[in-house]
């Protein structure tokens, strides 16, 4: 289909990014930086134009609101294809030592950096299996959502009860206690609640901009493999639950979103550029 070229244009009080076909120079359309609107003559090219514009938008993702329903994402940027723990597994593979180093580390009881990532990936897969069961009940489930920072959101789910970002924590045999914003694993204080809150807030901002109407997102901390989980006082805006109870939690929650709104949010959330802008 050919590549697209983007060039900036500022004249007569206007500030635009023009998109053209690289090979022929034929006009595709333009993005108005003043109104944050994308204008493309051929609707079939809207999604490709937005992909070409992404590096030039500097975090401005409001243009997505005008194309969210216009076309399906390309296979390479459709997050519906991601598997639970995929990003973490790749990182573990990158850090994995050679065969003999692995054997030596195992014999000596040494925990390598790769081991920590492997444990994390295993936890995400366990939670992902639970969440995937929700699809039969009208939920949309996304895994391993990449972020511009290089980090990722473990899971995003969209269903009758709302939108949730889920942060999986795999602590085999650990004692976990939570009191408000303070979470301790075997007595060690962590920033889990703060991070989950930030994750949900950032997701809400992006989805709201993409959908053109307010989208609330709730952060969830899902602990897997812990020996015990005691929540003395839950945080105001983050849920803390055992990973094994996630399915039951969401199925029992009261409805909050209409089917049409769920479809609109999912159409935006499954596009990688929403999270990478």
């Amino acid at each position: 289909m050919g590549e697209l070229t983007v060039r900036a244009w500022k004249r007569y009080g206007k500030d635009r990014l023009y998109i053209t076909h690289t090979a022929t120079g034929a006009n595709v359309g333009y993005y108005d930086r003043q109104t944050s609107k994308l204008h493309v003559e051929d609707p079939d090219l809207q999604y490709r134009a937005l992909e070409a514009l992404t590096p030039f938008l500097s975090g401005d993702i409001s243009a997505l609101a005008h194309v969210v329903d216009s076309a399906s994402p390309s296979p390479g940027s459709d997050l519906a294809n991601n598997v639970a723990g995929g990003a973490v597994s790749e990182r573990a593979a990158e850090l994995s030592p050679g065969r003999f180093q692995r054997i030596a580390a195992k014999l000596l009881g040494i925990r390598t950096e790769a081991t920590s990532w492997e444990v994390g990936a295993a936890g995400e897969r366990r939670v992902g299996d639970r969440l995937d069961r929700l699809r039969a009940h009208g939920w949309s489930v996304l895994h391993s959502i990449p972020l511009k920072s290089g980090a990722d959101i473990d899971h995003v789910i969209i269903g009758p009860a709302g939108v949730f970002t889920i942060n999986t924590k795999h602590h085999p045999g650990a004692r976990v206690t939570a009191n408000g914003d303070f979470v301790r694993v075997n007595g060690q204080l962590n920033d889990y609640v703060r991070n989950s809150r930030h994750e949900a807030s950032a997701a809400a901002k992006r989805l709201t901009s993409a959908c053109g109407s307010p989208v609330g997102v709730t952060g969830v901390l899902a602990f897997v493999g812990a020996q015990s989980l005691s929540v003395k006082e839950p945080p105001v805006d983050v849920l803390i639950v055992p990973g094994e109870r996630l399915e039951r939690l969401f199925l029992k929650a009261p409805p909050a979103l209409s089917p049409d709104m769920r479809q609109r949010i999912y159409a935006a959330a499954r596009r990688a550029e929403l999270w990478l802008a």
Side-chain angles (χ1 to χ4, degrees):
M1 296 178 66
E3 295 183 356
L4 301 181
T5 297
V6 178
R7 63 179 179 85
W9 183 87
K10 285 186 180 182
R11 288 182 186 176
Y12 315 117
K14 300 183 184 300
D15 186 359
R16 295 175 176 176
L17 293 171
Y18 276 92
I19 311 110
T20 59
H21 286 283
T22 303
T24 64
N27 183 57
V28 173
Y30 68 90
Y31 174 72
D32 192 322
R33 283 173 155 167
Q34 295 171 319
T35 63
S36 297
K37 289 187 177 181
L38 177 64
H39 303 265
V40 176
E41 297 176 4
D42 184 350
D44 291 336
L45 290 175
Q46 283 187 318
Y47 184 74
R48 290 187 59 220
L50 185 60
E51 286 184 319
L53 284 166
T54 298
F56 300 85
L57 296 182
S58 300
D60 178 7
I61 58 173
S62 54
L64 283 167
H66 305 279
V67 299
V68 71
D69 294 322
S70 64
S72 298
S74 58
S77 62
D78 188 353
L79 299 181
N81 298 320
N82 287 8
V83 298
V88 180
S89 294
E90 290 179 6
R91 182 60 176 158
E94 292 172 2
L95 295 170
S96 181
R99 179 186 176 189
F100 294 107
Q101 288 88 345
R102 288 199 304 271
I103 294 173
K106 186 174 182 179
L107 290 173
L108 295 172
I110 299 174
R111 185 185 179 93
T112 66
E113 186 176 357
T115 302
S116 297
W117 287 89
E118 289 165 357
V119 170
E124 289 186 32
R125 287 192 293 269
R126 287 175 61 179
V127 167
D129 288 343
R130 291 276 179 179
L131 297 176
D132 285 341
R133 299 175 188 176
L134 294 171
R135 300 180 196 271
H137 301 277
W139 289 74
S140 298
V141 181
L142 298 170
H143 305 296
S144 300
I145 295 90
L147 302 177
K148 186 178 182 180
S149 65
D152 76 314
I153 299 175
D154 297 344
H155 318 273
V156 172
I157 64 171
I158 302 145
V163 183
F164 302 84
T165 55
I166 298 167
N167 194 340
T168 298
K169 296 301 176 185
H170 191 189
H171 292 288
R175 291 182 174 85
V176 181
T177 60
N179 190 358
D181 285 3
F182 302 100
V183 175
R184 297 180 184 274
V185 178
N186 291 332
Q188 183 176 351
L189 188 63
N190 294 275
D191 293 325
Y192 291 162
V193 171
R194 183 190 67 180
N195 294 344
S196 290
R197 179 179 293 123
H198 173 75
E199 197 170 75
S201 176
K205 180 179 178 181
R206 289 175 179 272
L207 291 170
T208 294
S209 181
C211 294
S213 57
V215 177
V217 180
T218 301
V220 180
L221 270 173
F223 284 91
V224 178
Q227 177 180 323
S228 62
L229 172 60
S230 173
V231 181
K232 297 179 180 178
E233 182 179 343
V236 175
D237 52 357
V238 174
L239 302 176
I240 301 178
V241 295
E244 296 77 11
R245 296 182 185 175
L246 283 172
E247 186 181 2
R248 186 188 316 167
L249 170 71
F250 295 123
L251 290 179
K252 287 186 175 181
L257 292 177
S258 68
D260 287 345
M261 191 60 186
R262 299 202 305 266
Q263 285 187 337
R264 185 166 180 80
I265 295 170
Y266 177 61
R270 69 188 293 186
R271 288 169 159 82
E273 69 275 12
L274 173 78
W275 309 97
L276 295 172

